[in-house]
Amino acid sequence: MNLKQWFLLQVLDPGTRKKVPALPLDSTVEDWELDLTTNQKFRISHLVERGPLLLVFIRGTWCPFCQLHLKNLAIWASKLHDKRGTVIIVSSESMSKLQSWLELHPTPFPFASDPEFSLSDYFGVRIPPNTFSQAATFVIDSDLTVRLAYQGKRTVNSLEIIEKALNQ
């Protein structure tokens, strides 16, 4: 892992101001079952059968930066129509809150509800005592291996990094 990759995996613990690592690259993730807003449950192993899983953690649908990112992500993903894979957005909000928001703001991606922060804590994207996850994106390969872990502000450059990981 180079310095840039290591830096992308770090977040600051607001209490101690120490770096807290996210789930490391090339590690194998547990086969989580995701509760989706489509009223379906899927295991990660099932989702990666079609190609890589792009797991995108947002602070919440209330976050204006996350809303902008979701719009940009939809535009970017529409250009990748020839790529196989799945995009899942993860929020700590309740299923009913997410479904209500999606009725008013349709997106092309299903959302997974993580109100107990179990998935967020496993991936290392929530720093207690926050009641939301940090912005983060993970690319998970068909063998459940983390191929990209990106935390922090998402930009056009971060979408290019994600696209490169999907191509590999």
Side-chain angles (χ1 to χ4, degrees):
M1 176 179 350
N2 65 34
L3 184 60
K4 182 178 179 183
Q5 289 171 321
W6 180 85
F7 181 75
L8 293 175
L9 293 174
Q10 306 298 308
V11 290
L12 278 178
D13 179 324
T16 63
R17 307 300 292 170
K18 292 181 181 176
K19 298 279 185 180
V20 177
L23 197 63
L25 290 175
D26 298 324
S27 61
T28 302
V29 300
E30 291 179 17
D31 192 12
W32 287 84
E33 182 175 78
L34 303 176
D35 261 343
L36 303 182
T37 52
T38 56
N39 293 320
Q40 298 171 301
K41 292 183 182 207
F42 284 104
R43 298 200 79 70
I44 290 177
S45 59
H46 176 76
L47 294 169
V48 297
E49 288 175 359
R50 295 186 353 209
L53 171 62
L54 188 62
L55 202 57
V56 180
F57 289 85
I58 63 170
R59 289 179 173 216
T61 55
W62 49 265
C63 170
F65 301 109
C66 299
Q67 291 173 13
L68 179 61
H69 177 64
L70 291 173
K71 287 178 185 176
N72 291 335
L73 187 62
I75 293 166
W76 171 77
S78 69
K79 296 175 185 176
L80 298 177
H81 61 280
D82 59 331
K83 303 283 187 263
R84 293 188 309 161
T86 306
V87 177
I88 303 287
I89 311 300
V90 181
S91 173
S92 59
E93 295 168 285
S94 71
M95 186 64 71
S96 61
K97 184 174 264 190
L98 289 173
Q99 289 170 329
S100 295
W101 186 84
L102 286 167
E103 285 178 19
L104 298 173
H105 308 91
T107 69
F109 315 115
F111 278 61
S113 179
D114 184 33
E116 302 297 319
F117 300 104
S118 52
L119 193 63
S120 299
D121 288 341
Y122 176 78
F123 277 85
V125 297
R126 180 177 73 106
I127 303 169
N130 288 348
T131 56
F132 54 84
S133 299
Q134 303 299 316
T137 302
F138 294 86
V139 173
I140 302 169
D141 210 344
S142 59
D143 62 357
L144 300 180
T145 302
V146 176
R147 297 296 178 202
L148 176 119
Y150 186 92
Q151 286 190 315
K153 184 179 177 184
R154 294 172 266 226
T155 64
V156 172
N157 185 42
S158 64
L159 293 176
E160 290 170 4
I161 292 168
I162 294 166
E163 187 171 354
K164 183 178 178 183
L166 288 174
N167 287 331
Q168 293 173 353

